[in-house]
Amino acid sequence: GAVVSQHPSWVICKSGTSVKIECRSLDFQATTMFWYRQFPKQSLMLMATSNEGSKATYEQGVEKDKFLINHASLTLSTLTVTSAHPEDSSFYICSALTPADNSPLHFGNGTRLTVT
Amino acid sequence: DQQVKQNSPSLSVQEGRISILNCDYTNSMFDYFLWYKKYPAEGPTFLISISSIKDKNEDGRFTVFLNKSAKHLSLHIVPSQPGDSAVYFCAALGNTDKLIFGTGTRLQVFP
């Protein structure tokens, strides 16, 4: 089946630094990838839709200058949390659409970000 | 405004019994529904889905029921096993590719 790899699985950084999270589709080309954020005991909240070769579409309330998304190739999308603050600490998950079936979406294993 | 709701944050079921997880939605444009299982610190994994043209879909121990008039779907797991203990999210798709998730229900299956 389709595999989505997310890296790193966890990261700890200091306030004010930037962190990059990678999302790769390993055995298929994903023209569309999605980035979600999950707070403890809460739902998965869609942050943005990443389309290869074009600008990401951000959901309302998500700061595009803070959460930079780059989908430079058909197998890689990156989320960069810039000038991280403790309130950015969360679990970030990516998912990708496969060309063959638009659903179900295939999810990465997530990245736990802790900002100290 | 929560378009997909899971009103029970947790459910505890004895092993071997049936687990019933419920989900309600408000957007009548949703036409495809999915259930995901999620362990802590992992991404969701797909379980089962149903199109709005059906009212039931079964896959092994998992059955999803859809009541369009009530805008309600449910996931039945029978028999429940300890390994089923996880958080279950229902999700809906409309005319976009965006999955809208419910808030999740934590299922605990005890021996």
Side-chain angles (χ1 to χ4, degrees):
Chain A
V3 176
V4 177
S5 173
Q6 195 170 334
H7 178 82
S9 56
W10 60 271
V11 58
I12 301 173
C13 70
K14 292 185 177 180
S15 288
T17 61
S18 295
V19 174
K20 180 184 284 188
I21 303 170
E22 294 186 347
C23 181
R24 292 181 184 273
S25 56
L26 295 186
D27 52 359
F28 65 97
Q29 293 182 331
T31 56
T32 304
M33 290 186 175
F34 301 89
W35 287 95
Y36 292 85
R37 180 175 181 176
Q38 186 187 24
F39 293 100
K41 298 184 180 180
Q42 293 191 27
S43 184
L44 291 151
M45 301 302 298
L46 178 64
M47 298 174 65
T49 303
S50 168
N51 292 298
E52 186 268 338
S54 64
K55 291 183 179 180
T57 303
Y58 290 82
E59 296 300 302
Q60 191 173 8
V62 178
E63 298 177 60
K64 61 180 181 181
D65 294 330
K66 180 166 187 62
F67 299 99
L68 299 178
I69 292 173
N70 186 344
H71 194 158
S73 78
L74 286 171
T75 59
L76 174 64
S77 176
T78 61
L79 168 67
T80 301
V81 182
T82 63
S83 186
H85 290 281
E87 56 264 32
D88 299 326
S89 299
S90 191
F91 192 59
Y92 294 87
I93 306 172
C94 69
S95 68
L97 283 175
T98 64
D101 56 80
N102 283 333
S103 59
L105 297 183
H106 305 275
F107 287 84
N109 264 340
T111 298
R112 179 162 301 283
L113 170 64
T114 302
V115 184
T116 61
Chain B
D1 180 30
Q2 193 75 26
Q3 296 186 68
V4 179
K5 302 177 183 179
Q6 292 175 257
N7 291 319
S8 297
S10 64
L11 175 68
S12 189
V13 173
Q14 189 174 27
E15 181 178 6
R17 299 289 185 106
I18 184 172
S19 295
I20 301 176
L21 299 112
N22 293 304
C23 180
D24 297 292
Y25 62 97
T26 57
N27 191 338
S28 58
M29 297 302 292
F30 290 145
D31 58 8
Y32 200 82
F33 304 90
L34 308 93
W35 283 94
Y36 288 86
K37 176 180 180 180
K38 186 180 181 300
Y39 294 112
E42 292 186 14
T45 54
F46 169 75
L47 272 179
I48 192 168
S49 63
I50 189 166
S51 165
S52 60
I53 63 173
K54 295 186 175 181
D55 56 16
K56 177 183 175 181
N57 187 25
E58 187 174 353
D59 183 3
R61 297 187 297 116
F62 302 92
T63 303
V64 56
F65 295 91
L66 175 63
N67 182 332
K68 284 183 62 181
S69 61
K71 293 190 177 67
H72 176 83
L73 64 153
S74 61
L75 173 67
H76 293 211
I77 306 173
V78 56
S80 301
Q81 300 173 354
D84 296 329
S85 298
V87 177
Y88 290 79
F89 289 95
C90 69
L93 272 172
N95 55 0
T96 70
D97 293 327
K98 298 179 182 178
L99 270 179
I100 307 297
F101 282 91
T103 50
T105 297
R106 181 175 299 279
L107 173 66
Q108 183 177 8
V109 180
F110 59 92

